[in-house]
């Protein structure tokens, strides 16, 4: 009976060395698997972050473009309102200048009753209209 115990102990050592080798290989494979999983996770995270960055960048560009269009439309509206206002003011000013010229011409005609000044009135009105046209042209150039 002593022999089977010895043979059993002699056989048990080789089995344990094979088992430790298999366990070591398993740990190496598990470690390599974890490293690969971590690498895949990091790569996927980087790709997703880049995708989000591009998407946010595109969204911001679209929003900026829309805001620029709104600002441009507002600017064009203000310019057109300003043009209309200047045009109306010029018409009002021209009407006032014409009435003032008529009043001045009438006063001058009334003050000098010895001569016929009706031609002078028309001449003065023509001069005022020429000057008003020149002012209008200068204002258009300034615009």
């Amino acid at each position: 009976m002593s022999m089977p115990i010895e043979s059993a102990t002699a056989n048990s050592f080789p089995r344990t060395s094979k088992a430790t080798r298999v366990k070591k290989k398993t740990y190496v494979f598990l470690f390599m698997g974890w490293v690969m999983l971590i690498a895949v996770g990091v790569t996927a995270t980087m790709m997703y972050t880049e995708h989000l960055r591009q998407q946010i960048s595109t969204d911001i560009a679209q929003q900026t473009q829309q805001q620029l269009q709104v600002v441009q439309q507002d600017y064009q509206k203000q310019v057109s309102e300003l043009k209309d206002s200047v045009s109306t003011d010029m018409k009002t000013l021209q009407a006032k200048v014409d009435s003032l010229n008529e009043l001045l011409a009438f006063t001058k005609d009334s003050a000098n009753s010895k001569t016929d000044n009706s031609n002078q009135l028309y001449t003065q009105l023509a001069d005022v209209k020429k000057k008003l046209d020149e002012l209008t042209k200068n204002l258009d150039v300034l615009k």
Side-chain angles (χ1 to χ4, degrees), residues 32-93:
M32 293 300 288
W34 276 106
V35 168
M36 287 178 57
L37 282 174
I38 291 171
V40 167
V42 168
T43 304
T45 302
M46 289 174 56
M47 290 173 60
Y48 184 68
T49 304
E50 181 65 22
H51 170 71
L52 286 178
R53 187 187 65 76
Q54 288 178 355
Q55 188 176 9
I56 289 171
S57 172
T58 303
D59 290 345
I60 288 173
Q62 288 175 351
Q63 290 173 359
T64 304
Q65 184 66 25
Q66 290 172 352
Q67 289 175 350
L68 283 175
Q69 287 176 351
V70 168
V71 168
Q72 184 179 11
Q73 289 172 354
D74 186 42
Y75 176 75
Q76 288 176 349
K77 179 182 170 187
Q78 288 177 357
V79 167
S80 67
E81 288 175 357
L82 182 63
K83 274 184 174 181
D84 293 341
S85 174
V86 167
S87 173
T88 305
D89 290 346
M90 286 296 292
K91 288 178 183 178
T92 305
L93 183 63

